[in-house]
Amino acid sequence: MQLGLSVSDSDVSSFTPLVVLELADDTKAEAITWLLNRIRDKQQNGGAELLVNQLLFPAQDDQKPNPNVFVVGSTLQRLLNGAEDVGLFKEFQDGTMRGFTYANRESFNDFNGDGEGFLSDAECQYIIKHELDTLRAKNEEHVPGYPKLKLYPGKSVVRRLQSKGVLNQYFPLHNKEDLKRLSFSWYKKFKLSFQPLDDIRHYFGEGLALYFGFLEYFTFALVPMALIGIPYYLFDWEDYDKYVLFAVFNLVWSTVFLEVWKRCSATLAYGWGTLSRKKAFEEPRAGFHGALGFNPVTGREEPVYPSSKRQLRIYLVSVPFVLLCLYLSFYVMMVYFDMEFWAINIYNEDPSIATSILLFVPSIIYAVVIEIMNLLYRFAAEFLTDWENHRLESSFQNHLVLKVLVFNFVNCFASLFYIAFVMQDMVLLRQSLATLLITSQILNQVMEAFLPYWLQRRRNKKVHKRMRRLMGDKELPLLGQVKLETEMNTYLGTFDDYLEQFLLFGYVSLFSCVYPLAAVLVVLNNITEVYSDAFKMCHVFKRPFSEPATNIGVWQLAFETMSIIAVVTNCALIGLSPQVKAYFPESDTQLILIVVAIEHVLLAFKFILAFVIPDVPKHIQVNLAKLEFDSLEAFKKRVILRIAFISNRFL
């Protein structure tokens, strides 16, 4: 069945394709017709009022192409109205950031003529996604053609179709010209300069731009640690006085680093218009399920799931599973120590180059096993968190982050804590830290950069070859682009990227005083990370939808928690140094009490510093207060005018 006319670029010249919508190839014709009509229908009729056309791919010898691929676009007028609906903030003529309204469009900077170019591609695609997601069921009891696929009045149609497998995927299309310009300024030339964060934000949105901003900030913040760490490592490291000084510097650095980042992220978010935006009402997750009930907040019928059932699943299944995984992690750690003692005994019996190399083998094997365990646990954690049936995406993400962070922290750092505070072997601690850090960085680069790049290159060649064989000399760039991008990997968000930086921050802040080169290695890793992540975002993954973000979210709390643990760890390491122990030759208890007292003082200093340094710079606070005052004044004027209007009617 042919529902559209789009077989080439000329056929969709009536609008710019922004989003690809792919339904299952066996979707019923009546369901497709119903969905397209809802997408095209006017807003007052409950539609999205968007433009949509079908892409018809030529038949192939080896497989039948999916006929249910559509491109979605919009008129400029609809996008500008949508910008007001989603609450986009834009720069006003007085330099402040204000919520965009179509009525006051001429008062916003960069709005020229009819507004062409006022909204970025990422913003346009975000608006289309919002309109598709808020396309709600009306009086339909089920999806046409699917009697068992029930619809609930007021619930998102697209989310329902996605959760039941009728909708395979929908994603924003890359803009070839903009992508080319971004690639050139971002990663194609190696240069020691800041990243084009504004360009990244315009193309990918605020959430991803904030990640790259944090990655850049973290890398630059590590430079002082690296510059101090190099001479510490090269010149007489066995002098533990230097060890104590570096630990103290580490404590101050980890606190100041995070507090200054809050101000940096607030400045970026204000300039991008997300700091002032009100949080949108959160719709239920696509995978959320339950018996039909009544939502007292929205007044709609929707699936409900008892909180008691969810809590039982969490505490009777998820928590025991996490504890079992932690036990397995400790068991693997003890096996590693057995291997370490075996290697040391062989070296002591026959010191040689071969046996000295053998000393590093247990740590390398353990580092590889840690990465494998982290990967397997991640899949299990995602399955469990999904099975817990959280209603909101934010709740799902918080529970997933907590599960993954607890396991990764124990799995990656338990052996280092054991060596430092049970075995108290600083030489072995330094060796283990170096091996774990270097091996994990190499594995991450292979798994995150080289392997996806190689797989995508193979996939691209196959797609190009197939399209050339089918189309001959005819040039159909849109069909080729859509075909290529539908087969690209889906970017799953910044979760894994932040997790990697969290673990690197742990290696630097917890134990780098015994291995000062840790900061140097992390700086080198992050420089390559910027370029590899940039390339992946531009050429390996599908373009993700823009996600408004004010800060790095729950990860800020995770990094702050790690910095608190770092205070305790570094104080304990200082207490274990021979120079400090020499002052208390007969009283270990007195030493412990003094170390604990110093640790409490440093923690108090850390919290005072966090309180004294404002999270938001003063000038931004003033602008936000001014905006709030203007909003209240405007509201008062509207109320007065309405009262006057009503009074005149009755006079």
Short mmCIF file of all heavy atoms in Angstrom, two decimals, residues 513-556:
data_model
loop_
_atom_site.label_atom_id
_atom_site.label_comp_id
_atom_site.label_asym_id
_atom_site.label_seq_id
_atom_site.Cartn_x
_atom_site.Cartn_y
_atom_site.Cartn_z
N CYS A 513 47.81 10.29 45.45
CA CYS A 513 48.99 10.72 46.21
C CYS A 513 50.06 9.64 46.26
O CYS A 513 51.24 9.94 46.47
CB CYS A 513 48.58 11.14 47.62
SG CYS A 513 47.80 9.86 48.59
N VAL A 514 49.68 8.35 46.06
CA VAL A 514 50.69 7.30 46.01
C VAL A 514 51.14 7.03 44.57
O VAL A 514 52.11 6.32 44.33
CB VAL A 514 50.19 5.99 46.64
CG1 VAL A 514 49.87 6.19 48.11
CG2 VAL A 514 48.99 5.43 45.90
N TYR A 515 50.40 7.59 43.60
CA TYR A 515 50.79 7.47 42.19
C TYR A 515 50.44 8.78 41.49
O TYR A 515 49.41 8.91 40.83
CB TYR A 515 50.06 6.30 41.53
CG TYR A 515 50.53 6.04 40.11
CD1 TYR A 515 51.84 5.66 39.84
CD2 TYR A 515 49.65 6.18 39.04
CE1 TYR A 515 52.27 5.43 38.54
CE2 TYR A 515 50.06 5.95 37.74
CZ TYR A 515 51.38 5.58 37.50
OH TYR A 515 51.80 5.35 36.21
N PRO A 516 51.32 9.80 41.61
CA PRO A 516 51.01 11.14 41.11
C PRO A 516 50.81 11.21 39.59
O PRO A 516 50.23 12.18 39.10
CB PRO A 516 52.24 11.96 41.51
CG PRO A 516 52.87 11.20 42.61
CD PRO A 516 52.60 9.76 42.32
N LEU A 517 51.26 10.20 38.85
CA LEU A 517 51.06 10.23 37.40
C LEU A 517 49.62 9.92 37.00
O LEU A 517 49.28 10.00 35.81
CB LEU A 517 52.00 9.22 36.71
CG LEU A 517 53.47 9.61 36.55
CD1 LEU A 517 54.20 8.57 35.74
CD2 LEU A 517 53.60 10.97 35.89
N ALA A 518 48.76 9.57 37.97
CA ALA A 518 47.37 9.27 37.65
C ALA A 518 46.70 10.45 36.94
O ALA A 518 45.98 10.27 35.95
CB ALA A 518 46.60 8.91 38.93
N ALA A 519 46.94 11.66 37.44
CA ALA A 519 46.34 12.84 36.82
C ALA A 519 46.85 13.03 35.39
O ALA A 519 46.09 13.42 34.50
CB ALA A 519 46.64 14.09 37.66
N VAL A 520 48.13 12.76 35.16
CA VAL A 520 48.70 12.88 33.82
C VAL A 520 48.02 11.91 32.86
O VAL A 520 47.64 12.27 31.74
CB VAL A 520 50.22 12.61 33.85
CG1 VAL A 520 50.82 12.71 32.44
CG2 VAL A 520 50.92 13.58 34.79
N LEU A 521 47.84 10.66 33.30
CA LEU A 521 47.21 9.65 32.46
C LEU A 521 45.75 10.01 32.16
O LEU A 521 45.27 9.80 31.04
CB LEU A 521 47.28 8.28 33.15
CG LEU A 521 48.68 7.69 33.31
CD1 LEU A 521 48.62 6.41 34.13
CD2 LEU A 521 49.33 7.42 31.96
N VAL A 522 45.05 10.56 33.15
CA VAL A 522 43.65 10.93 32.93
C VAL A 522 43.55 12.12 31.97
O VAL A 522 42.64 12.17 31.13
CB VAL A 522 42.96 11.25 34.27
CG1 VAL A 522 41.56 11.79 34.05
CG2 VAL A 522 42.90 10.01 35.15
N VAL A 523 44.47 13.07 32.06
CA VAL A 523 44.48 14.19 31.11
C VAL A 523 44.66 13.68 29.69
O VAL A 523 43.93 14.07 28.76
CB VAL A 523 45.60 15.20 31.46
CG1 VAL A 523 45.81 16.19 30.32
CG2 VAL A 523 45.24 15.96 32.74
N LEU A 524 45.64 12.79 29.49
CA LEU A 524 45.87 12.22 28.16
C LEU A 524 44.64 11.45 27.67
O LEU A 524 44.26 11.52 26.50
CB LEU A 524 47.10 11.31 28.18
CG LEU A 524 48.44 12.00 28.47
CD1 LEU A 524 49.56 10.97 28.58
CD2 LEU A 524 48.76 13.01 27.38
N ASN A 525 44.04 10.68 28.58
CA ASN A 525 42.84 9.92 28.22
C ASN A 525 41.71 10.85 27.79
O ASN A 525 41.03 10.60 26.80
CB ASN A 525 42.39 9.08 29.42
CG ASN A 525 41.08 8.36 29.16
OD1 ASN A 525 41.03 7.30 28.56
ND2 ASN A 525 39.98 8.95 29.63
N ASN A 526 41.51 11.94 28.55
CA ASN A 526 40.40 12.84 28.26
C ASN A 526 40.60 13.63 26.97
O ASN A 526 39.62 13.97 26.29
CB ASN A 526 40.17 13.80 29.44
CG ASN A 526 39.44 13.14 30.58
OD1 ASN A 526 39.14 11.94 30.53
ND2 ASN A 526 39.14 13.89 31.61
N ILE A 527 41.84 13.93 26.64
CA ILE A 527 42.10 14.60 25.37
C ILE A 527 41.68 13.71 24.21
O ILE A 527 41.00 14.14 23.27
CB ILE A 527 43.59 15.00 25.25
CG1 ILE A 527 43.91 16.12 26.25
CG2 ILE A 527 43.92 15.46 23.83
CD1 ILE A 527 45.38 16.47 26.35
N THR A 528 42.08 12.43 24.27
CA THR A 528 41.66 11.49 23.22
C THR A 528 40.15 11.23 23.30
O THR A 528 39.50 11.01 22.28
CB THR A 528 42.42 10.16 23.34
OG1 THR A 528 42.17 9.57 24.63
CG2 THR A 528 43.91 10.37 23.17
N GLU A 529 39.59 11.29 24.51
CA GLU A 529 38.15 11.07 24.70
C GLU A 529 37.33 12.14 23.99
O GLU A 529 36.30 11.85 23.38
CB GLU A 529 37.82 11.08 26.20
CG GLU A 529 36.42 10.66 26.53
CD GLU A 529 36.23 9.15 26.56
OE1 GLU A 529 37.23 8.42 26.58
OE2 GLU A 529 35.07 8.72 26.55
N VAL A 530 37.80 13.39 24.06
CA VAL A 530 37.09 14.49 23.38
C VAL A 530 36.98 14.20 21.89
O VAL A 530 35.90 14.30 21.29
CB VAL A 530 37.81 15.83 23.62
CG1 VAL A 530 37.26 16.91 22.68
CG2 VAL A 530 37.65 16.28 25.07
N TYR A 531 38.10 13.80 21.28
CA TYR A 531 38.11 13.59 19.83
C TYR A 531 37.34 12.33 19.44
O TYR A 531 36.60 12.32 18.46
CB TYR A 531 39.56 13.52 19.32
CG TYR A 531 40.22 14.87 19.31
CD1 TYR A 531 40.92 15.34 20.41
CD2 TYR A 531 40.13 15.71 18.19
CE1 TYR A 531 41.52 16.59 20.41
CE2 TYR A 531 40.72 16.96 18.18
CZ TYR A 531 41.41 17.40 19.29
OH TYR A 531 41.98 18.64 19.28
N SER A 532 37.50 11.26 20.22
CA SER A 532 36.79 10.02 19.88
C SER A 532 35.29 10.16 20.09
O SER A 532 34.48 9.72 19.27
CB SER A 532 37.33 8.85 20.70
OG SER A 532 37.11 9.04 22.08
N ASP A 533 34.88 10.82 21.20
CA ASP A 533 33.45 11.04 21.45
C ASP A 533 32.85 11.96 20.40
O ASP A 533 31.71 11.75 19.95
CB ASP A 533 33.23 11.63 22.84
CG ASP A 533 33.35 10.59 23.94
OD1 ASP A 533 33.51 9.40 23.60
OD2 ASP A 533 33.30 10.94 25.13
N ALA A 534 33.59 12.99 20.00
CA ALA A 534 33.10 13.91 18.97
C ALA A 534 32.89 13.18 17.66
O ALA A 534 31.86 13.35 16.99
CB ALA A 534 34.10 15.06 18.79
N PHE A 535 33.83 12.33 17.28
CA PHE A 535 33.70 11.58 16.03
C PHE A 535 32.50 10.63 16.11
O PHE A 535 31.73 10.51 15.15
CB PHE A 535 34.98 10.79 15.75
CG PHE A 535 34.88 9.95 14.51
CD1 PHE A 535 35.10 10.50 13.26
CD2 PHE A 535 34.55 8.61 14.58
CE1 PHE A 535 34.99 9.74 12.11
CE2 PHE A 535 34.43 7.83 13.45
CZ PHE A 535 34.66 8.40 12.20
N LYS A 536 32.35 9.95 17.23
CA LYS A 536 31.23 9.01 17.38
C LYS A 536 29.89 9.74 17.25
O LYS A 536 28.98 9.25 16.58
CB LYS A 536 31.30 8.32 18.75
CG LYS A 536 32.34 7.24 18.86
CD LYS A 536 32.17 6.46 20.14
CE LYS A 536 32.21 7.33 21.36
NZ LYS A 536 32.06 6.58 22.62
N MET A 537 29.77 10.89 17.90
CA MET A 537 28.51 11.62 17.84
C MET A 537 28.18 12.07 16.43
O MET A 537 27.01 12.14 16.04
CB MET A 537 28.54 12.84 18.77
CG MET A 537 28.64 12.51 20.25
SD MET A 537 27.42 11.31 20.82
CE MET A 537 25.91 12.07 20.28
N CYS A 538 29.20 12.38 15.66
CA CYS A 538 28.98 12.91 14.30
C CYS A 538 28.80 11.81 13.26
O CYS A 538 28.10 12.02 12.26
CB CYS A 538 30.14 13.82 13.90
SG CYS A 538 30.24 15.35 14.86
N HIS A 539 29.43 10.64 13.46
CA HIS A 539 29.47 9.67 12.36
C HIS A 539 29.15 8.23 12.73
O HIS A 539 29.01 7.40 11.84
CB HIS A 539 30.86 9.70 11.69
CG HIS A 539 31.18 11.01 11.06
ND1 HIS A 539 30.56 11.47 9.93
CD2 HIS A 539 32.05 11.98 11.43
CE1 HIS A 539 31.04 12.65 9.60
NE2 HIS A 539 31.94 12.99 10.50
N VAL A 540 29.04 7.91 14.01
CA VAL A 540 28.79 6.52 14.39
C VAL A 540 27.36 6.33 14.88
O VAL A 540 26.70 5.35 14.53
CB VAL A 540 29.79 6.06 15.48
CG1 VAL A 540 29.44 4.66 15.98
CG2 VAL A 540 31.21 6.08 14.92
N PHE A 541 26.87 7.27 15.68
CA PHE A 541 25.53 7.14 16.26
C PHE A 541 24.50 7.93 15.47
O PHE A 541 24.83 8.91 14.78
CB PHE A 541 25.52 7.64 17.70
CG PHE A 541 26.31 6.79 18.65
CD1 PHE A 541 27.40 7.31 19.33
CD2 PHE A 541 25.96 5.47 18.87
CE1 PHE A 541 28.12 6.54 20.21
CE2 PHE A 541 26.68 4.68 19.76
CZ PHE A 541 27.76 5.22 20.42
N LYS A 542 23.24 7.50 15.59
CA LYS A 542 22.15 8.36 15.13
C LYS A 542 22.19 9.68 15.90
O LYS A 542 22.62 9.71 17.05
CB LYS A 542 20.79 7.69 15.41
CG LYS A 542 20.48 6.44 14.62
CD LYS A 542 19.06 5.97 14.97
CE LYS A 542 18.72 4.68 14.23
NZ LYS A 542 19.36 3.51 14.84
N ARG A 543 21.74 10.71 15.25
CA ARG A 543 21.67 12.00 15.94
C ARG A 543 20.63 11.90 17.06
O ARG A 543 19.49 11.52 16.82
CB ARG A 543 21.25 13.09 14.95
CG ARG A 543 21.24 14.50 15.53
CD ARG A 543 20.85 15.49 14.45
NE ARG A 543 20.88 16.85 14.93
CZ ARG A 543 20.66 17.93 14.19
NH1 ARG A 543 20.38 17.77 12.90
NH2 ARG A 543 20.72 19.15 14.70
N PRO A 544 21.01 12.21 18.29
CA PRO A 544 20.02 12.14 19.39
C PRO A 544 19.15 13.40 19.41
O PRO A 544 19.55 14.45 18.93
CB PRO A 544 20.91 12.07 20.64
CG PRO A 544 22.16 12.78 20.26
CD PRO A 544 22.36 12.53 18.78
N PHE A 545 17.97 13.26 19.98
CA PHE A 545 17.13 14.43 20.18
C PHE A 545 17.75 15.34 21.23
O PHE A 545 18.36 14.87 22.19
CB PHE A 545 15.73 14.02 20.63
CG PHE A 545 14.83 13.57 19.52
CD1 PHE A 545 14.53 12.22 19.36
CD2 PHE A 545 14.30 14.48 18.62
CE1 PHE A 545 13.69 11.79 18.33
CE2 PHE A 545 13.46 14.06 17.59
CZ PHE A 545 13.17 12.71 17.44
N SER A 546 17.58 16.63 21.04
CA SER A 546 18.04 17.61 22.02
C SER A 546 17.31 17.39 23.34
O SER A 546 16.11 17.14 23.36
CB SER A 546 17.78 19.01 21.49
OG SER A 546 17.98 19.97 22.50
N GLU A 547 18.05 17.46 24.43
CA GLU A 547 17.46 17.33 25.77
C GLU A 547 17.84 18.55 26.59
O GLU A 547 19.01 18.74 26.91
CB GLU A 547 17.95 16.06 26.46
CG GLU A 547 17.37 14.77 25.90
CD GLU A 547 15.88 14.63 26.14
OE1 GLU A 547 15.36 15.29 27.07
OE2 GLU A 547 15.22 13.90 25.38
N PRO A 548 16.88 19.42 26.94
CA PRO A 548 17.21 20.58 27.79
C PRO A 548 17.79 20.12 29.11
O PRO A 548 17.31 19.18 29.72
CB PRO A 548 15.86 21.28 27.98
CG PRO A 548 14.99 20.78 26.87
CD PRO A 548 15.45 19.37 26.59
N ALA A 549 18.86 20.79 29.55
CA ALA A 549 19.50 20.41 30.82
C ALA A 549 20.02 21.66 31.50
O ALA A 549 20.56 22.56 30.86
CB ALA A 549 20.64 19.43 30.57
N THR A 550 19.84 21.71 32.82
CA THR A 550 20.32 22.84 33.61
C THR A 550 21.70 22.55 34.20
O THR A 550 22.51 23.44 34.39
CB THR A 550 19.33 23.13 34.76
OG1 THR A 550 18.04 23.35 34.21
CG2 THR A 550 19.74 24.35 35.56
N ASN A 551 21.96 21.29 34.49
CA ASN A 551 23.24 20.87 35.08
C ASN A 551 23.45 19.41 34.73
O ASN A 551 22.73 18.85 33.91
CB ASN A 551 23.23 21.09 36.60
CG ASN A 551 21.96 20.55 37.24
OD1 ASN A 551 21.55 19.42 36.97
ND2 ASN A 551 21.31 21.36 38.07
N ILE A 552 24.44 18.78 35.36
CA ILE A 552 24.73 17.38 35.04
C ILE A 552 23.90 16.43 35.89
O ILE A 552 24.14 15.22 35.88
CB ILE A 552 26.24 17.07 35.18
CG1 ILE A 552 26.73 17.28 36.60
CG2 ILE A 552 27.05 17.92 34.21
CD1 ILE A 552 28.18 16.87 36.82
N GLY A 553 22.93 16.98 36.62
CA GLY A 553 21.95 16.15 37.31
C GLY A 553 22.51 15.36 38.47
O GLY A 553 23.32 15.85 39.27
N VAL A 554 22.11 14.10 38.56
CA VAL A 554 22.47 13.24 39.68
C VAL A 554 23.97 12.99 39.73
O VAL A 554 24.53 12.63 40.78
CB VAL A 554 21.69 11.90 39.59
CG1 VAL A 554 22.16 11.07 38.41
CG2 VAL A 554 21.81 11.11 40.88
N TRP A 555 24.66 13.20 38.61
CA TRP A 555 26.11 12.99 38.59
C TRP A 555 26.85 14.00 39.45
O TRP A 555 27.93 13.71 39.96
CB TRP A 555 26.62 13.00 37.16
CG TRP A 555 26.13 11.82 36.39
CD1 TRP A 555 25.13 11.78 35.48
CD2 TRP A 555 26.60 10.47 36.52
NE1 TRP A 555 24.94 10.50 35.01
CE2 TRP A 555 25.84 9.68 35.63
CE3 TRP A 555 27.60 9.86 37.28
CZ2 TRP A 555 26.04 8.31 35.50
CZ3 TRP A 555 27.80 8.49 37.14
CH2 TRP A 555 27.02 7.74 36.27
N GLN A 556 26.30 15.20 39.61
CA GLN A 556 26.92 16.19 40.50
C GLN A 556 26.97 15.63 41.92
O GLN A 556 28.01 15.72 42.60
CB GLN A 556 26.11 17.49 40.48
CG GLN A 556 26.67 18.59 41.37
CD GLN A 556 27.91 19.23 40.81
OE1 GLN A 556 28.04 19.41 39.61
NE2 GLN A 556 28.85 19.59 41.68
#
